[in-house]
Amino acid sequence: MEPVSETSPSVGLLIVHGIGEQKAGETRDKLVHGLSRAYGDRLRVAESDPVDLELDGKTVRLYEVYWADLLSGDRVRDSFRWGVVQALGWFPWLNWKHGLLKPPLHSRALILAWSVVLVPATLSLYLLYLGARFFAQLGQEALGSGEKPVVSVEPGAGRWARLRATSNAYAAQAREGRTPVEDLLDGFAGDVTNYMASLCGAVDAGTDLDGAAGAILQRFYRAAADACDDGCETIQILSHSLGTVVAYHGLTGRLLEQAEGDPGARRYDLMGRLTRLYTIGSPLEKIRFFWPSTIAETPVGTLTARGDTMVLAAGGEPVEGRFRWDNFYHRFDRVSGRLKRFDHWGAVVNHALKGGGGLVRSHVIYEQSPEFLDAISEGLFGAPAGYRPSRAARLRDGLVSSLENLGLPIGMMVPLLFGIVLGVAVALVPGYLLSLPVRWLGFDSWVGVVQGVPAVLMGISILYAATLGGLHKADALHARWTRRDGSAGA
């Protein structure tokens, strides 16, 4: 790295990372690596905190909005719940029912179509989870890394009592024991539900997640204030995945108190300085579909400091003709997509990317995309970088992407099929056990009836519980997440 430059930054770039167990500086370093690949030795990376990038006399200062520590570790352990996933399948329909999704942005036919898909899909996801969990437990047993169940037996208990206690302990361990699958769900998928629950006020007061969304958004505002304090002429924002939702909520003043700061406090006109917003791998359309009441369209105004907390003083607007929103999505990235309903600050420029990963990598390597690097380098330094990967690199990427697109469905199919087998076994075992006395008594003609009727009833019960049976619980959770008094968790 080069020595720190004393040149005042022309641009302050706020970088908001996405889901997962991110390390501080990880997303920033990926961007720096991509730009360095594009510019080579022309780009100077100054050794500073925040990091400065210098190119042809122009300085860009990078401010990372790091929030992963607020949704990680013991804070989120066991926070991911399948009951929430099941309820979310009903949220679009409940949003429509309660007037939160309206034409022309969303048609009733669209809501119905997605509800027909989403509600049973949650059962498929649960079966996939059961299969993945089973294989994870097998791996733990093979590696000797799993926790051994504690068997409690009364002193003097007989052999059958010990056997029954051991069986119950291992059964409980199989049902409730923690595996890497739970760690993955808590640390990644749980980020979405935990952030949104905290944002909507749908977590219990005093818990680790209470106020987490507010703390995340305050870090966003603090980074913007730092850019203003450092004299950045303009501010740009680069956000990824769930970070695009954080950035959007920040730009619309979500959870900000409508109040003046202390007399003489510093004021920050964020929207007045904002010129570019880059969203990569953004789920904003999906967030609007499931939590529409969290998507305001009026941008934040003047931020005022009240001690270490930022409050909102007045409404604002992006400077007309100066602000541009570039959204990048990959055809294989199932999280992202076109932003069709976010043109209230001007038309969003959507970029459909090709290459750069398949079903596995496409969500996390946007910083290697020539289209993305051209757009952000033009915004930061005034001209596209013009980076193009070599033919060999393109061929290698295409081969790896093809393997991803082939391997991931197969890899998911195996635990899904095993989960289906487990589900079918749960439906069949009670009927089989009931049929045993009939078999022993020799009433062979009744075996099929005795075994089949409970299996059918059990199957119907499972399907009902996974679909219509969950509607009441979904409605109660939806009421808590949307605050149907109109506040929507504000």
Side-chain angles (χ1 to χ4, degrees):
M1 285 190 177
E2 301 289 340
V4 179
S5 170
E6 296 181 359
T7 305
S8 297
S10 303
V11 178
L13 179 67
L14 277 57
I15 302 175
V16 192
H17 67 74
I19 64 172
E21 301 294 327
Q22 302 274 349
K23 304 299 182 185
E26 183 178 341
T27 303
R28 178 201 62 204
D29 292 344
K30 287 173 65 178
L31 173 66
V32 172
H33 179 73
L35 291 173
S36 297
R37 177 184 296 180
Y39 285 110
D41 293 338
R42 291 177 57 202
L43 183 72
R44 300 177 63 209
V45 182
E47 193 172 336
S48 56
D49 184 20
V51 169
D52 280 354
L53 304 180
E54 299 176 10
L55 180 73
D56 300 336
K58 191 168 187 177
T59 302
V60 175
R61 183 159 293 171
L62 308 182
Y63 301 86
E64 183 178 40
V65 181
Y66 179 68
W67 54 265
D69 58 317
L70 297 174
L71 290 180
S72 64
D74 291 339
R75 284 174 173 262
V76 299
R77 185 179 176 86
D78 296 325
S79 62
F80 186 82
R81 294 286 182 267
W82 279 103
V84 173
V85 177
Q86 182 185 13
L88 287 176
W90 284 105
F91 268 35
W93 171 250
L94 293 170
N95 287 332
W96 175 271
K97 177 182 176 182
H98 295 285
L100 298 175
L101 293 177
K102 300 177 182 180
L105 294 182
H106 300 89
S107 68
R108 186 175 184 179
L110 177 69
I111 306 300
L112 284 172
W114 273 111
S115 297
V116 169
V117 171
L118 289 170
V119 172
T122 60
L123 175 59
S124 299
L125 289 174
Y126 184 69
L127 294 174
L128 174 63
Y129 160 72
L130 289 180
R133 176 180 165 79
F134 175 79
F135 286 110
Q137 288 176 322
L138 286 182
Q140 286 179 318
E141 286 294 325
L143 297 173
S145 58
E147 296 180 1
K148 298 298 181 183
V150 177
V151 181
S152 299
V153 184
E154 294 292 333
R159 185 196 320 176
W160 289 111
R162 291 196 299 273
L163 180 62
R164 185 169 59 253
T166 302
S167 175
N168 290 338
Y170 274 88
Q173 175 71 8
R175 290 192 312 270
E176 304 166 7
R178 193 169 179 86
T179 72
V181 176
E182 283 74 33
D183 293 335
L184 189 68
L185 292 174
D186 283 343
F188 287 83
D191 277 357
V192 179
T193 52
N194 289 331
Y195 170 75
M196 294 305 299
S198 177
L199 184 87
C200 297
V203 296
D204 295 332
T207 61
D208 288 335
L209 294 176
D210 183 26
I216 291 171
L217 291 171
Q218 283 295 321
R219 290 189 180 181
F220 174 84
Y221 296 126
R222 188 67 261 167
D226 289 343
C228 293
D229 287 340
D230 288 345
C232 295
E233 298 173 10
T234 61
I235 292 176
Q236 300 183 24
I237 299 171
L238 168 63
S239 55
H240 174 238
S241 188
L242 183 60
T244 68
V245 182
V246 172
Y248 187 86
H249 287 150
L251 290 175
T252 52
R254 186 74 185 181
L255 301 185
L256 271 182
E257 183 182 352
Q258 297 277 348
E260 295 286 348
D262 297 330
R266 185 73 183 270
R267 285 176 166 75
Y268 304 93
D269 183 10
L270 173 56
M271 297 307 296
R273 296 197 189 199
L274 184 65
T275 58
R276 290 286 188 105
L277 172 61
Y278 311 94
T279 49
I280 55 179
S282 175
L284 272 168
E285 286 285 351
K286 298 173 179 63
I287 294 296
R288 185 166 203 154
F289 199 53
F290 286 93
W291 293 281
S293 55
T294 70
I295 303 298
E297 297 185 357
T298 302
V300 71
T302 304
L303 299 171
T304 306
R306 177 185 287 168
D308 294 331
T309 303
M310 306 300 290
V311 296
L312 178 64
E317 291 288 342
V319 177
E320 186 176 354
R322 193 182 181 195
F323 173 78
R324 171 171 165 155
W325 184 342
D326 288 276
N327 177 60
F328 300 86
Y329 65 98
H330 196 287
R331 57 179 176 167
F332 291 131
D333 183 0
R334 298 297 87 195
V335 174
S336 67
R338 288 178 59 86
L339 296 184
K340 306 174 183 177
R341 302 171 179 86
F342 288 84
D343 287 346
H344 31 271
W345 301 341
V348 177
V349 182
N350 286 288
H351 304 264
L353 304 182
K354 298 178 181 179
L359 291 170
V360 177
R361 296 177 302 139
S362 60
H363 186 62
V364 295
I365 58 172
Y366 282 88
E367 295 86 351
Q368 299 179 21
S369 163
E371 295 91 340
F372 168 74
L373 290 173
D374 273 354
I376 196 168
S377 59
E378 181 181 11
L380 296 177
F381 301 111
Y387 166 73
R388 295 296 178 267
S390 66
R391 179 178 177 83
R394 295 197 303 271
L395 290 174
R396 183 169 58 252
D397 175 74
L399 175 61
V400 175
S401 299
S402 298
L403 293 175
E404 291 176 30
N405 296 338
L406 178 64
L408 181 63
I410 295 175
M412 294 179 65
M413 190 61 66
V414 173
L416 175 60
L417 290 176
F418 200 86
I420 293 173
V421 170
L422 291 176
V424 171
V426 169
L428 293 180
V429 166
Y432 175 76
L433 294 177
L434 287 174
S435 72
L436 289 178
V438 179
R439 295 173 189 270
W440 295 334
L441 293 174
F443 298 114
D444 294 340
S445 60
W446 286 93
V447 169
V449 176
V450 174
Q451 184 171 322
V453 171
V456 171
L457 293 177
M458 181 68 74
I460 292 174
S461 298
I462 292 174
L463 290 174
Y464 177 78
T467 54
L468 291 174
L471 181 56
H472 178 71
K473 291 182 178 179
D475 190 52
L477 186 64
H478 184 266
R480 189 179 182 191
W481 282 52
T482 57
R483 304 281 186 90
R484 291 179 190 157
D485 58 0
S487 63

